[in-house]
Amino acid sequence: MVVVTELSKSRVPVGVTGAGEWVYLAREGGWSSLAASSPVFLVTVLPQRAAFHSELRSRLVAVGLSPALADTFPIDSSVRLGLTWLTEFWQQAALDWLEREGGGEAFLPELEALVHTGGTPRIRHAARRLGRAARQQTRE
């Protein structure tokens, strides 16, 4: 296992196993799968925007790993956490990510819920717009 980066203000070590699985150092002291556990600190990736992937690629190269591993980072977990978070900041950050990167089809249930529970009218309208676009994509 190779540590690649640290996430959140708590600087949680995040790395990649020899099998290409993204893991983090849990408080209990052992390494846990990012994809399997979706720890709450993953939401902190969202405000970094496109810089996150380029920084992750650079860090992978710096530790001698393929930059292509950045494409396997479980960003979906970050987006899902943001969409279901109770604060407007994280909801908006997740919506902004989806507007830039696309892929709303994978988050239709969360978008539909956010239409009714979003913290602001702006969030509810963006969720409705993205949900409509995602449903249209799935029909095509």
Side-chain angles (χ1 to χ4, degrees):
M1 201 287 308
V2 177
V3 173
V4 176
T5 190
E6 295 174 333
L7 295 179
S8 87
K9 288 182 181 177
S10 299
R11 300 179 61 138
V12 177
V14 174
V16 180
T17 66
E21 179 183 18
W22 286 95
V23 294
Y24 71 100
L25 185 59
R27 288 187 182 177
E28 300 79 34
W31 292 94
S32 296
S33 168
L34 277 178
S37 59
S38 295
V40 295
F41 69 81
L42 270 181
V43 76
T44 63
V45 166
L46 297 174
Q48 297 178 40
R49 304 177 185 228
F52 173 73
H53 273 108
S54 64
E55 177 70 20
L56 192 57
R57 286 186 202 312
S58 296
R59 290 182 182 263
L60 283 161
V61 169
V63 296
L65 296 172
S66 168
L69 283 169
D71 297 333
T72 66
F73 187 87
I75 198 67
D76 285 4
S77 296
S78 300
V79 173
R80 188 162 281 107
L81 282 167
L83 292 173
T84 58
W85 209 269
L86 297 178
T87 61
E88 298 163 12
F89 178 82
W90 296 117
Q91 292 172 357
Q92 189 63 57
L95 292 169
D96 291 346
W97 187 284
L98 287 175
E99 285 185 303
R100 277 189 324 278
E101 305 296 328
E105 307 82 40
F107 305 99
L108 269 172
E110 292 85 0
L111 289 169
E112 289 171 358
L114 207 51
V115 167
H116 304 289
T117 62
T120 65
R122 179 180 177 209
I123 288 170
R124 292 189 295 274
H125 292 298
R128 183 175 292 113
R129 184 180 65 253
L130 287 167
R132 195 174 313 135
R135 282 189 298 280
Q136 191 171 17
Q137 285 283 26
T138 58
R139 287 186 211 129
E140 292 177 359

